[in-house]
Amino acid sequence: MKNKTLLFFTIILISVNAWSQKPAVEPNSEKVLLINNVQIFNGKDEKTTIGNVLIVNNMISKISTAPIPTNKSGEIKVIDGKGKFLMPGLIDAHTHIMMESLDIMELLNNDIEYITVNAVRSAEKDLMQGFTTFRDLSGPSFGLQKAIDKGLMIGPRIYPSGAMISQTSGHGDFLSVNAVPRDAGSSLDFTERFNFGILADGADEVLKRTREQLRLGATQIKLAAGGGVSSNYDPLDVSEFTEAEMKAAVDAAENWGTYVTVHAYTPRAIQTALRAGVRCIDHAQLIDEVTAKMVADKNVWLSLQPFIDTGVSVFAEGSPNRIKQQTMSRGTESAYLFAKKYNIKTAFGTDCLFQPKHSAARAGDLTKLLKWYTPFEILKMATSTNAELLTMSGPRNPYPNKLGVIEEGAYADMLLVDGNPLKNLNILEDYDKSLLMIIKDGVVYKNTIK
């Protein structure tokens, strides 16, 4: 017993002595990363500049064409960029991080723990593709956001919407065929209990469900305002939610200083949303010219996705979902042409959903845009322009400093690329080879430059 007591106090003394030692880095000292000799694309201007970038902790502290002294205390690392291309981290303005790595049947027939583990792995893969920020537009991503921000896991920054709010028979209705008529006292469906999507009918219910998502930490609210491809109960042409129902969500969001975006393809769905005060339209593939002009006149955003029918689909040929997908895809070109004609503020998103192969190659959606835009216009859209959209969440913005740019005072989210994507955008598809360095929030997650 005496020996055990002596051992115990010996361990305590050793521990106290270890804690009393002066740490290698002072607790309030800074982590400094200096990247020299890089070709800087700032996210806004087509012209690049050869220069040096100083990162202090998680922020860009200084950018200069002249040498930058490193007379700072703390942990200092200097990297020779060897003239490689430095750009802001990519931003995806339409994602579903909890639903991108499994197909729809796996999602509906597995428990939330299995789904979450898959999402955790997917988030790391997304960051390794160069995407440092996501606007998540449906799904229970609040926990992932917190875990990533606390450094418990690796992944992009997340602007979460929480559950997509849908009417009964709408795009977010994933109940079984025989689940109606639905008793008022019925328990919530799996997709509702775990906040993938929630059903609301009538302005009062929409108001309540919107407030619930804001309570959980939504940075913006997502409504399903029209028919969808993957949903089974709504033809593509239908308009969902009344103007009063949408306005209830808009009022609640505006009371919290943020905004509502809607899933909508058709002119009627989009116009109803515009009258209700919605500030962003996601998809809009079937928009017409009159509606496009209304979007421009109201200074509303379009968050477009380059949906192009390649002949490969998760839906069986001839099935209702496949026919809806083909109809929607045929409108993609006119949607982009209207956006350009009326100079509508246009964001880039992938809408990776139910297709693991798509989420593993999301940079391919950037190269699809070459049909309508130059490489510079595409890179600007996927960096500084998307970042501008994110600022619409106002005081609900969890990342209030600048994103999508390489500027002093911006977050240190950046990619060092082997090659110049302003001349050859396709190199971003081969991200394992072309991305030499990936930095998010000042942390180097990949570095293969020697």
Side-chain angles (χ1 to χ4, degrees):
M1 181 67 181
K2 184 177 179 181
N3 289 339
K4 288 184 178 179
T5 303
L6 180 61
L7 177 62
F8 172 77
F9 281 107
T10 301
I11 292 172
I12 293 294
L13 287 170
I14 292 172
S15 300
V16 170
N17 184 56
W19 292 335
S20 67
Q21 297 299 310
K22 185 177 180 180
V25 179
E26 294 290 347
N28 59 354
S29 65
E30 298 168 320
K31 289 186 177 181
V32 181
L33 174 62
L34 176 60
I35 306 175
N36 288 323
N37 185 28
V38 283
Q39 185 183 174
I40 302 169
F41 167 61
N42 64 11
K44 291 183 175 181
D45 302 315
E46 189 166 6
K47 183 180 179 181
T48 60
T49 305
I50 295 293
N52 314 301
V53 179
L54 180 67
I55 299 170
V56 178
N57 294 326
N58 67 333
M59 306 292 290
I60 299 174
S61 176
K62 188 175 180 62
I63 300 172
S64 176
T65 56
I68 300 176
T70 56
N71 54 343
K72 287 183 173 287
S73 63
E75 191 179 322
I76 300 174
K77 184 173 184 178
V78 181
I79 294 174
D80 179 6
K82 300 182 179 179
K84 302 297 185 182
F85 187 93
L86 189 72
M87 62 174 284
L90 296 165
I91 299 173
D92 190 333
H94 190 126
T95 66
H96 303 281
I97 184 65
M98 292 293 292
M99 297 184 280
E100 69 175 30
S101 57
L102 297 171
D103 66 41
I104 190 167
M105 293 309 297
E106 287 180 297
L107 282 162
L108 293 176
N109 292 284
N110 272 296
D111 57 35
I112 191 63
E113 291 82 5
Y114 179 78
I115 294 169
T116 302
V117 168
N118 277 275
V120 169
R121 293 190 65 188
S122 191
E124 182 172 353
K125 292 176 184 177
D126 293 333
L127 182 62
M128 291 300 102
Q129 293 181 62
F131 286 84
T132 54
T133 303
F134 277 179
R135 186 177 68 138
D136 192 271
L137 292 186
S138 180
S141 59
F142 298 115
L144 264 66
Q145 179 205 25
K146 291 175 186 175
I148 291 169
D149 288 350
K150 287 181 177 293
L152 300 177
M153 56 174 280
I154 295 172
R157 302 175 189 273
I158 296 177
Y159 282 75
S161 294
M164 176 172 62
I165 303 170
S166 169
Q167 70 174 44
T168 297
S169 77
H171 182 52
D173 185 345
F174 291 100
L175 275 63
S176 66
V177 176
N178 296 320
V180 293
R182 196 180 190 200
D183 187 270
S186 298
S187 61
L188 295 175
D189 176 72
F190 171 83
T191 56
E192 296 177 297
R193 289 198 314 275
F194 291 103
N195 221 44
F196 289 91
I198 192 76
L199 298 186
D201 295 293
D204 288 345
E205 274 197 22
V206 172
L207 182 64
K208 178 180 179 179
R209 298 309 186 189
T210 300
R211 287 172 173 168
E212 286 174 345
Q213 300 311 311
L214 293 167
R215 182 179 186 267
L216 288 168
T219 53
Q220 63 282 321
I221 296 297
K222 166 79 174 295
L223 300 182
V229 170
S230 59
S231 42
N232 294 326
Y233 308 125
D234 52 344
L236 203 61
D237 62 289
V238 302
S239 183
E240 298 168 8
F241 282 135
T242 64
E243 185 178 331
E245 287 173 315
M246 283 196 238
K247 191 173 186 308
V250 168
D251 288 345
E254 288 183 348
N255 283 343
W256 280 56
T258 186
Y259 69 99
V260 172
T261 189
V262 296
H263 161 104
Y265 291 119
T266 66
R268 177 170 177 168
I270 296 169
Q271 289 184 25
T272 303
L274 293 175
R275 290 194 298 270
V278 166
R279 294 173 62 194
C280 182
I281 308 295
D282 272 81
H283 305 318
Q285 259 66 20
L286 303 180
I287 194 170
D288 61 15
E289 188 156 11
V290 171
T291 310
K293 191 173 185 306
M294 286 180 63
V295 171
D297 290 344
K298 289 182 175 291
N299 202 31
V300 167
W301 281 78
L302 286 184
S303 174
L304 293 178
Q305 298 75 39
F307 294 140
I308 299 172
D309 190 4
T310 62
V312 179
S313 175
V314 296
F315 305 112
E317 285 301 320
S319 66
N321 299 94
R322 178 64 173 134
I323 292 170
K324 289 195 290 184
Q325 184 182 44
Q326 291 168 323
T327 302
M328 176 273 295
S329 298
R330 285 195 290 268
T332 295
E333 173 140 4
S334 60
Y336 277 110
L337 293 178
F338 285 140
K340 294 186 71 173
K341 178 177 180 179
Y342 291 101
N343 198 28
I344 298 171
K345 293 183 293 187
T346 305
F348 161 78
T350 63
D351 195 19
C352 289
L353 182 65
F354 309 144
Q355 298 180 64
K357 288 183 179 179
H358 186 191
S359 63
R362 64 197 324 127
D365 285 15
L366 289 170
T367 57
K368 291 177 183 176
L369 293 174
L370 290 168
K371 187 173 183 180
W372 305 286
Y373 299 98
T374 67
F376 164 67
E377 291 171 326
I378 295 167
L379 288 180
K380 182 180 179 182
M381 187 187 301
T383 54
S384 63
T385 300
N386 272 2
E388 185 183 346
L389 170 61
L390 298 176
T391 65
M392 288 210 307
S393 56
R396 305 286 74 79
N397 187 349
Y399 315 108
N401 294 309
K402 291 181 180 180
L403 287 168
V405 292
I406 296 181
E407 292 181 6
E408 294 178 2
Y411 288 113
D413 294 2
M414 55 187 71
L415 313 173
L416 189 65
V417 185
D418 187 10
N420 188 339
L422 288 174
K423 296 179 179 178
N424 179 13
L425 189 66
N426 299 73
I427 61 174
L428 295 180
E429 293 188 72
D430 190 8
Y431 51 87
D432 279 338
K433 180 180 178 182
S434 64
L435 298 185
L436 303 175
M437 185 180 296
I438 298 171
I439 302 171
K440 193 204 87 177
D441 210 36
V443 177
V444 179
Y445 288 95
K446 176 182 179 181
N447 181 14
T448 61
I449 195 165
K450 302 300 181 184

